[in-house]
Amino acid sequence: MAPTKRARPAEDGDQGVSEGSDVIDVERAQSNFRQDNGKRARLSYEKSDDGGSEESVENEEIDQEQESQFRTQQLASNLADNAAADNGILESVSCSNFMCHGYMEVALGPLINFIIGHNGSGKSAVLTAITICLGGKATATNRGQSLKSFIKEGTESAVLSVKIKNKGDSAYQPELYGDSIIVERHFSRSGSSQFKLKSATGRLISSKKSDLEEICDYFALQIDNPMNVLTQDMARQFLSNSTPQEKYKFFMKGTQLEHLDGDYLQIEQNVDKIDQDLAKSLADLGRYEEDARKAKSLYALSEKHDTLRDKVKSICWQMAWAQVEEVERKLALADDELLKVANAIANAERKEEQCAQKYDTSDHDYQNTLRATEELEQTLLPLNDSKAQAQKDYDAATHNAREVQTEQRKIKTHMKAADQQISDSTTAIRDEYNRLEEINGGGNARRLAEMDGKRTASSDAKARLEDHESGLRGLEDKQRRAAEDLEQSRSPIPDKRQEIQACEERLKRLIGDKGKQEGAYHANLPRLQRAIRDDGGFHQKPIGPIGYHVRLLQPTWSSILEKSLGAALNSFVVTSKADQARLSSLMTRMQCQYPIIIGNNSSVDTTNHEPNPEFDTSLRVLEIDDDLVRKQLIINQMIEQTILIDSRPHAVNVMSDSRLQNVKQCFTHNVRPGTGIRFSYGWGGGLSENYIPAFQGSPRMKTDVEFQVNACRAEIQRLRSELNDLERIVRERQTSLKNAEQAITRHRREAGNLRVEVQRLTDEMDGLQEAIDRDSVEEGGLEALKKGLEDAKIQRASYEAQYGDSVVAMDKAREPLRTIKEQMKVIENDIANTHTRIKKAETKSLGKLGERDVALREKNLAVDEHRRAREAKIAAQEARADHAETVAVYTGQASAICERVAVDQGETCASLEKKLEKLQADLKRWETQLGGTREEIAEAAARKVQAFQQARAQVAGVEKLAQLLKTTLVNRKERWKVFQRAITARARVQFMWMLSERSFRGKLLANHKEKKLDLNVEPDPTKVGKGREAKTLSGGEKSFSTICLLLSLWDAMGAPVRCLDEFDVFMDSVNREVSMRKMIEAARYSIGKQFILITPGSMGSVSSSHDVKIIK
């Protein structure tokens, strides 16, 4: 928003002086003109002061006592009305890294401010900060030559801030800045400097210095005015050493009279230049008048042969409208063509709609087959789970049957032992009968002792046998696992050898082809390509194979992309059905069959359909040199929406977090080099995973062959290393199996030895027992043997019963095996059937995919046809619009010539042109004699007459302007003199009144002709005379008198802020106290003005009040 400006005083003079009156309104004589910051050179005053009578003569005519009484009464009446201004005064000043201050902030009062402090404490930095922050130059402060000299030592930059009050009805853009305007200035040692204008809330509004100048101009903040902001050096010079000429210069600058004087001098120079230019213009005006007179005479001579001109005009009119009739006929033809195109568009739209419906139907069918295939694949999961569970159940049932079989074998063993015991008991009974017949009395005790030893040894041997037999199962399990591991390690070796053989063959092909792509294609491909080049019957030459036009920029993806793109890299691309049929015929003749794709030349923009740039895509790693190839790979292979991620875990994380925009699938490397994994989104939003086997053929895309050879060699080395590892593992496992078998053999041999030992000890015990029994004379020995025989028979019967139970248990254990086998057979049949159905579904899906591709091609052709029809319509509309515009232009041009006329029958533009040429030739001969055509002569006459009239009007305007400037300048200079006298009189009266406060007498002497301003002061009221000059006064009297002069001049100024630094430096305590009191009173009489006064002395005689603020 443009800044609001205050209304300026009337341009014709000061409000305190009425025109034609000699009365001086002393009380209202103030200077409030804007200072132009030195943009225009100050000029001498001598031109504007041609009289220059001394002010001392005028002073004699004024009764000083009456003037002083009047001033005293006037000020006393206004004392109670003093109040803070609503705007234009400073609220606070802050600085950072400025001069000697790290940080300082001074809150200023709205009226009178005394800043006190010892010398060197940084008081003067406040005025310096105000001057620089509000746009003043560094040299104006007399403290430095550049901004960098004000930056505190040890720091690189400084910041100044001044807050300006902005309230009341006359606030500056309050809706933008608010109640305060914050001005900041940032500068650094590197020389950079920047202003910032902020609102009361701290919001940045502007960074332009011109806006700051506008604000200072609005509030009349005359920062560069030496009388407005009196720095320490300037104050000392003004108060102690200033000459009358310097005082006068201060007076002229402070009241802005010098600036007005320079403006008036500039106006005088401009008026003189206007007078010089006006003299030259008067001389030129005569020449213009003579040229206009001659042109009029020549035009009068040309007004002849009007009949010939009328004939020429009539033919010209007919020619104009004959051209209109010709373009109107072309417009009618364009309307007919536009109607034909509209009918073609309607037919194309119907065909496109039909093809779109067909494509949607085929795509829907294809998607259904995909869903059906996925559903069938999902049904495999529970079947595989069922098969695994059935196998688990079968293994458990087999284990149970083996345990029953083992128990059955144990029972058989017990039955054999019982039979042996029965036989042994029978023999023992028989021997007992024989023993009783013998008598043996000496060896019984020896046999008993030997029996105890044998019994102990037998128990130890049985314990060792049981412990030894318990380890057999672990050895057998170890042997079984070793056999399974050996078989498992042998199975991948043939496959690995085949992989090595295939990779070696691929390496041979790569080296043999030497980087040529022909090795990856059919041997007759060069013949086919030559036939295509030689055949001129194609509407557009076929492009292919596609692999010839694709370069892989990242060879690490070669195997995966070769496998995923598949037959597409072998395909040829044509743009019409006719070209497809022609190419198919060539392929058949050359015995080189490849897929053929029908496309079109319309461009495909994938800008808004590609994934985030952080991902590599198939399109981004491929360099495709043909737009038609690129378009087909985008449409059929989705290369622009296939992202490539090296790490499989990263790919899983990326695809699983959330469905990525513009991503259809993701390829990543598998553990085995050359193989990959394809991740894609399922219909339910889930992530599906498919294995991508390694590509075994030669690369069909252009790529780094050296990289492919090195990769193939590295793959062979890796495969051979893996084969060596597999063979080493086989050897190790063979050794493990052999060791396990040997351990079982040793275990069984040791178990046999232990059994032999147990049996030997048992036999020896039995022999001793028999001997003891034979030797025993106890009764019942034979009965015991009979009892043992009976017990053995009973035990044998019990074992028979247990064996029968084990047979039943064995049958029961085998029954689940048969059942589970049947179940597994059913599950395997279901799995096989499901695989068959999946293959059928995939075959059907491929068929539907083919149908969809055909429908897509037809749809694309229909879309292209519709597009061409629309383009033809646009072209027809543009042609029709061009014809219509031409008709309108021709009609307008013809109408500008004349109203529509009928063209004579049989006349054409050519015939009319011939007639016109003949007539114009006759007319031209006559016009040549005059030096031009009638129109040219008339135009030249009108131009020269107009030039004369313009020159005459311009001269008259310049004469009027020069006279007006002269009159205005005289009036302004007279008013300037009146204003000068009024300000001088006001300052003189104020000076006399202030001196009277200490009973001093004195007067202000102003000589405008000699540019002097001095003062006469008489400190002793008892003496009579003109008073003494300033240089004859004491230091305190001189400082007090000069302070009175400064306050008098301030009263004549209109700036809202007045600043003075070290005003009392040469005063004693008495003069300082009186001066301070006088300055406070004068400040209170200056209603709404803000004073900032700096003193190194104490303020014991002055106390803070509602309008006086002391800042220490």
Side-chain angles (χ1 to χ4, degrees):
M1 183 180 71
T4 306
K5 294 187 177 180
R6 289 179 173 176
R8 298 185 62 183
E11 293 293 336
D12 291 333
D14 187 88
Q15 295 179 355
V17 181
S18 60
E19 190 172 350
S21 174
D22 294 333
V23 178
I24 301 174
D25 193 349
V26 177
E27 297 177 19
R28 293 193 295 171
Q30 282 189 346
S31 173
N32 195 26
F33 293 98
R34 177 186 179 186
Q35 186 179 7
D36 204 7
N37 294 327
K39 294 180 180 177
R40 182 178 295 157
R42 302 293 186 181
L43 301 177
S44 174
Y45 172 72
E46 292 178 0
K47 276 194 174 184
S48 62
D49 188 3
D50 51 0
S53 61
E54 296 189 12
E55 290 296 328
S56 60
V57 178
E58 298 180 7
N59 293 345
E60 297 295 336
E61 299 175 359
I62 300 176
D63 188 351
Q64 296 179 5
E65 183 178 358
Q66 292 180 356
E67 290 291 340
S68 299
Q69 291 176 357
F70 173 80
R71 181 62 176 167
T72 303
Q73 293 173 0
Q74 185 68 20
L75 294 174
S77 64
N78 292 335
L79 181 60
D81 297 333
N82 189 19
D86 290 336
N87 50 65
I89 60 175
L90 309 182
E91 294 182 324
S92 66
V93 180
S94 65
C95 56
S96 176
N97 299 332
F98 184 71
M99 296 179 73
C100 63
H101 299 286
Y103 179 78
M104 177 185 68
E105 183 174 2
V106 178
L108 300 174
L111 294 173
I112 306 169
N113 297 272
F114 284 95
I115 301 177
I116 64 175
H118 300 295
N119 289 329
S121 61
K123 307 182 301 300
S124 300
V126 177
L127 293 190
T128 305
I130 293 174
T131 302
I132 294 177
C133 187
L134 294 182
K137 298 179 180 178
T139 55
T141 64
N142 292 326
R143 290 302 186 94
Q145 296 301 316
S146 63
L147 290 176
K148 65 178 70 176
S149 62
F150 293 102
I151 300 175
K152 185 180 179 182
E153 291 295 332
T155 60
E156 294 299 324
S157 62
V159 180
L160 303 177
S161 177
V162 173
K163 182 184 287 187
I164 304 174
K165 190 175 182 180
N166 191 43
K167 298 181 180 180
D169 295 337
S170 59
Y172 181 79
Q173 298 186 15
E175 70 283 354
L176 189 62
Y177 289 95
D179 293 340
S180 298
I181 299 175
I182 300 174
V183 181
E184 290 184 1
R185 188 169 188 178
H186 301 250
F187 52 93
S188 64
R189 292 190 185 276
S190 62
S192 62
S193 176
Q194 182 184 17
F195 290 95
K196 292 184 179 181
L197 303 179
K198 298 182 178 180
S199 65
T201 60
R203 182 169 62 90
L204 181 63
I205 303 300
S206 175
S207 299
K208 299 179 180 178
K209 186 178 180 182
S210 59
D211 292 336
L212 174 60
E213 293 175 349
E214 187 70 30
I215 292 173
C216 293
D217 176 45
Y218 185 84
F219 291 128
L221 296 174
Q222 304 170 12
I223 299 303
D224 284 340
N225 191 337
M227 290 295 294
N228 192 45
V229 180
L230 211 59
T231 62
Q232 183 175 332
D233 296 335
M234 296 294 293
R236 289 175 180 174
Q237 180 182 355
F238 181 77
L239 296 177
S240 61
N241 301 323
S242 60
T243 63
Q245 289 82 0
E246 291 174 342
K247 288 185 178 68
Y248 186 84
K249 188 175 181 180
F250 277 119
F251 169 73
M252 292 294 289
K253 286 184 177 181
T255 57
Q256 299 291 290
L257 291 173
E258 185 180 57
H259 178 66
L260 287 176
D261 184 31
D263 290 343
Y264 295 154
L265 181 60
Q266 185 69 32
I267 293 174
E268 287 183 354
Q269 294 174 352
N270 292 336
V271 170
D272 292 341
K273 188 175 183 305
I274 290 174
D275 288 338
Q276 296 174 2
D277 295 340
L278 187 59
K280 296 179 181 178
S281 299
L282 289 173
D284 294 336
L285 185 61
R287 291 195 297 273
Y288 281 120
E289 184 177 10
E290 181 63 20
D291 291 342
R293 185 188 62 77
K294 292 180 179 180
K296 288 181 180 179
S297 300
L298 185 61
Y299 178 71
L301 293 175
S302 67
E303 291 183 342
K304 296 179 180 179
H305 294 80
D306 289 341
T307 303
L308 185 59
R309 290 193 183 95
D310 291 339
K311 290 182 178 179
V312 170
K313 185 184 300 183
S314 176
I315 293 177
C316 287
W317 290 354
Q318 291 189 45
M319 282 186 64
W321 289 104
Q323 293 176 4
V324 173
E325 290 180 356
E326 287 183 2
V327 295
E328 284 177 345
R329 286 192 291 272
K330 293 180 180 179
L331 178 61
L333 295 176
D335 289 334
D336 296 339
E337 181 64 23
L338 188 61
L339 182 60
K340 294 179 182 179
V341 171
N343 294 331
I345 288 178
N347 296 330
E349 286 178 348
R350 286 193 297 271
K351 184 176 180 181
E352 180 182 359
E353 184 177 357
Q354 293 172 358
C355 292
Q357 291 177 354
K358 182 178 179 181
Y359 171 75
D360 292 340
T361 302
S362 61
D363 182 67
H364 182 267
D365 294 341
Y366 172 63
Q367 299 298 336
N368 287 338
T369 58
L370 287 180
R371 285 193 291 271
T373 303
E374 290 181 357
E375 290 173 358
L376 289 174
E377 290 175 348
Q378 292 297 324
T379 58
L380 277 177
L381 298 177
L383 290 175
N384 290 330
D385 293 341
S386 299
K387 181 180 178 181
Q389 183 62 37
Q391 184 65 41
K392 185 177 179 181
D393 294 342
Y394 181 79
D395 293 341
T398 302
H399 179 70
N400 186 30
R402 287 177 180 173
E403 288 182 349
V404 173
Q405 188 177 19
T406 301
E407 184 66 24
Q408 193 177 46
R409 289 174 180 172
K410 288 181 180 180
I411 294 172
K412 285 184 176 182
T413 302
H414 290 317
M415 288 177 66
K416 290 180 179 179
D419 291 338
Q420 185 64 36
Q421 185 177 1
I422 292 171
S423 176
D424 292 343
S425 297
T426 303
T427 303
I429 291 172
R430 185 175 61 250
D431 292 342
E432 179 64 19
Y433 281 110
N434 295 329
R435 185 191 64 80
L436 291 176
E437 295 177 357
E438 297 178 359
I439 298 173
N440 184 6
N444 190 44
R446 178 180 54 78
R447 293 188 184 96
L448 289 174
E450 188 179 356
M451 183 66 175
D452 292 335
K454 296 294 183 180
R455 188 179 290 114
T456 302
S458 178
S459 298
D460 294 339
K462 288 180 178 179
R464 289 197 305 272
L465 178 60
E466 291 175 357
D467 292 338
H468 188 72
E469 288 180 344
S470 63
L472 179 60
R473 181 176 295 276
L475 294 175
E476 291 176 344
D477 291 339
K478 186 175 181 180
Q479 179 196 17
R480 178 177 54 80
R481 288 195 300 271
E484 292 174 352
D485 292 343
L486 177 60
E487 185 63 27
Q488 184 178 4
S489 62
R490 283 174 173 169
S491 58
I493 290 178
D495 295 335
K496 189 65 64 177
R497 287 172 177 165
Q498 290 180 0
E499 290 180 11
I500 293 174
Q501 183 179 358
C503 200
E504 288 175 344
E505 292 176 355
R506 183 166 179 262
L507 177 61
K508 291 179 181 178
R509 288 196 300 272
L510 287 173
I511 296 175
D513 294 339
K514 296 181 180 180
K516 298 180 180 178
Q517 291 177 280
E518 289 81 356
Y521 295 95
H522 197 280
N524 292 335
L525 178 61
R527 293 177 57 208
L528 175 62
Q529 291 176 325
R530 286 194 299 271
I532 292 173
R533 286 195 300 268
D534 297 340
D535 193 331
F538 290 104
H539 294 89
Q540 181 176 342
K541 291 290 185 181
I543 305 297
I546 286 180
Y548 269 53
H549 300 275
V550 179
R551 176 179 294 277
L552 181 60
L553 303 179
Q554 297 184 16
T556 54
W557 295 100
S558 176
S559 177
I560 294 176
L561 292 181
E562 289 275 2
K563 193 67 177 178
S564 63
L565 294 177
L569 294 176
N570 299 333
S571 302
F572 281 74
V573 184
V574 297
T575 57
S576 65
K577 279 278 190 181
D579 288 350
Q580 180 193 27
R582 195 174 191 87
L583 178 59
S584 178
S585 176
L586 280 179
M587 288 181 176
T588 302
R589 191 165 65 250
M590 297 297 166
Q591 297 181 355
C592 181
Q593 293 292 333
Y594 279 119
I596 302 174
I597 301 173
I598 300 177
N600 56 66
N601 291 317
S602 62
S603 60
V604 175
D605 185 8
T606 62
T607 304
N608 298 324
H609 302 283
E610 294 191 40
N612 195 303
E614 67 176 297
F615 298 112
D616 281 338
T617 64
S618 298
L619 178 60
R620 292 168 184 167
V621 302
L622 297 178
E623 182 182 289
I624 305 173
D625 60 9
D626 189 272
D627 289 338
L628 197 59
V629 171
R630 177 178 178 271
K631 177 180 178 181
Q632 295 308 313
L633 290 178
I634 289 173
I635 293 174
N636 297 318
Q637 300 295 329
M638 303 180 294
I639 60 173
E640 85 285 8
Q641 295 184 348
T642 300
I643 63 175
L644 308 176
I645 299 177
D646 290 326
S647 171
R648 176 175 177 173
H650 184 205
V652 173
N653 292 335
V654 168
M655 296 293 288
S656 299
D657 287 344
S658 61
R659 183 150 189 166
L660 298 177
Q661 186 178 6
N662 296 331
V663 174
K664 297 290 188 182
Q665 58 186 356
C666 171
F667 292 158
T668 184
H669 293 295
N670 200 5
V671 177
R672 179 182 168 189
T675 63
I677 300 294
R678 173 183 175 269
F679 294 104
S680 61
Y681 296 111
W683 290 102
L687 192 64
S688 63
E689 177 179 341
N690 299 101
Y691 173 74
I692 302 176
F695 181 71
Q696 300 299 332
S698 298
R700 294 166 292 175
M701 295 183 289
K702 299 176 184 177
T703 184
D704 186 355
V705 178
E706 186 66 24
F707 177 89
Q708 296 288 341
V709 171
N710 292 335
C712 191
R713 287 173 175 168
E715 177 68 7
I716 292 173
Q717 184 177 359
R718 184 189 65 79
L719 291 173
R720 286 176 177 171
S721 177
E722 290 178 355
L723 178 60
N724 293 334
D725 291 341
L726 291 174
E727 291 175 345
R728 177 182 52 79
I729 292 171
V730 169
R731 290 193 297 270
E732 291 175 354
R733 291 181 178 178
Q734 285 176 342
T735 302
S736 298
L737 178 60
K738 186 176 181 181
N739 292 336
E741 292 174 347
Q742 291 175 353
I744 292 175
T745 302
R746 287 194 302 270
H747 184 279
R748 289 174 177 171
R749 185 169 57 251
E750 291 174 0
N753 294 334
L754 288 175
R755 290 191 188 96
V756 170
E757 184 179 359
V758 171
Q759 187 62 42
R760 180 182 58 78
L761 291 173
T762 301
D763 292 343
E764 292 176 354
M765 288 172 61
D766 292 339
L768 290 174
Q769 185 65 42
E770 290 177 359
I772 292 171
D773 291 339
R774 284 194 301 269
D775 294 340
S776 176
V777 294
E778 294 180 358
E779 295 181 357
L782 184 60
E783 286 76 8
L785 291 174
K786 292 179 178 180
K787 180 76 167 60
L789 177 60
E790 187 64 27
D791 291 338
K793 291 180 178 180
I794 293 172
Q795 187 69 31
R796 208 272 182 190
S798 175
Y799 287 147
E800 285 183 357
Q802 290 179 7
Y803 183 76
D805 294 337
S806 68
V807 171
V808 174
M810 188 65 182
D811 293 337
K812 290 182 178 179
R814 288 176 176 173
E815 184 64 28
L817 288 175
R818 289 191 294 271
T819 303
I820 294 172
K821 276 189 176 180
E822 292 295 331
Q823 292 177 354
M824 290 179 64
K825 190 177 295 184
V826 171
I827 293 173
E828 289 175 352
N829 290 334
D830 291 341
I831 291 175
N833 292 334
T834 304
H835 279 297
T836 302
R837 293 170 62 193
I838 289 174
K839 285 187 177 181
K840 291 181 179 179
E842 290 176 345
T843 303
K844 184 177 180 182
S845 177
L846 290 175
K848 293 297 182 181
L849 176 61
E851 293 177 1
R852 191 192 72 162
D853 291 341
V854 172
L856 178 60
R857 289 193 291 270
E858 293 177 353
K859 177 184 175 182
N860 291 336
L861 291 174
V863 170
D864 290 341
E865 183 179 353
H866 188 194
R867 175 181 55 77
R868 288 192 295 271
R870 290 197 306 271
E871 291 174 353
K873 180 180 179 181
I874 293 172
Q877 289 175 338
E878 291 175 351
R880 199 268 179 198
D882 292 340
H883 289 306
E885 184 179 358
T886 303
V887 169
V889 171
Y890 279 29
T891 302
Q893 292 174 351
S895 299
I897 297 173
C898 66
E899 294 183 358
R900 186 154 190 160
V901 297
V903 180
D904 294 342
Q905 186 70 27
E907 294 288 354
T908 62
C909 290
S911 62
L912 291 172
E913 186 175 4
K914 289 181 180 179
K915 291 182 179 180
L916 180 62
E917 289 175 355
K918 183 177 182 304
L919 293 174
Q920 286 179 340
D922 296 339
L923 185 61
K924 190 173 183 179
R925 285 193 301 273
W926 181 80
E927 288 176 345
T928 302
Q929 299 175 2
L930 295 177
T933 65
R934 180 182 180 186
E935 288 76 11
E936 292 175 348
I937 295 172
E939 182 180 356
R943 187 168 58 251
K944 291 183 179 180
V945 170
Q946 184 180 7
F948 167 68
Q949 293 174 348
Q950 289 178 349
R952 184 171 58 187
Q954 184 177 4
V955 169
V958 172
E959 288 178 340
K960 184 177 180 181
L961 175 62
Q963 186 61 36
L964 180 61
L965 285 175
K966 293 176 182 178
T967 304
T968 302
L969 180 61
V970 171
N971 185 27
R972 288 280 181 165
K973 293 178 68 174
E974 290 297 327
R975 292 177 181 273
W976 184 85
K977 292 178 182 179
V978 173
F979 189 62
Q980 182 188 60
R981 291 196 300 271
I983 292 178
T984 306
R986 176 170 180 151
R988 184 179 65 249
V989 172
Q990 181 74 1
F991 177 70
M992 293 168 56
W993 175 76
M994 289 184 178
L995 287 177
S996 66
E997 290 297 308
R998 286 198 63 192
S999 300
F1000 284 13
R1001 290 184 295 105
K1003 58 184 177 179
L1004 189 63
L1005 302 178
N1007 190 330
H1008 297 299
K1009 185 174 183 180
E1010 297 181 2
K1011 295 183 175 58
K1012 292 182 179 180
L1013 179 66
D1014 206 351
L1015 49 91
N1016 285 342
V1017 178
E1018 179 55 63
D1020 187 356
T1022 61
K1023 294 183 179 181
V1024 179
K1026 295 182 178 180
R1028 292 185 289 169
E1029 295 181 357
K1031 61 184 178 180
T1032 64
L1033 299 175
S1034 65
E1037 293 171 345
K1038 183 178 181 181
S1039 297
F1040 173 74
S1041 301
T1042 312
I1043 286 293
C1044 292
L1045 173 60
L1046 176 62
L1047 294 175
S1048 301
L1049 296 180
W1050 271 359
D1051 189 61
M1053 295 167 55
V1057 180
R1058 290 116 186 240
C1059 304
L1060 178 61
D1061 190 2
E1062 295 195 4
F1063 60 89
D1064 55 351
V1065 67
F1066 298 110
M1067 295 184 184
D1068 54 20
S1069 59
V1070 176
N1071 284 309
R1072 181 183 294 112
E1073 181 178 355
V1074 174
S1075 297
M1076 287 185 178
R1077 186 175 68 252
K1078 175 55 62 181
M1079 294 178 74
I1080 293 174
E1081 290 179 0
R1084 287 173 175 167
Y1085 291 134
S1086 299
I1087 300 173
K1089 301 298 187 290
Q1090 184 183 36
F1091 290 81
I1092 302 174
L1093 308 174
I1094 298 177
T1095 174
S1098 63
M1099 297 290 295
S1101 60
V1102 178
S1103 59
S1104 299
S1105 62
H1106 71 282
D1107 60 348
V1108 177
K1109 184 174 182 179
I1110 300 175
I1111 302 169
K1112 298 182 180 181

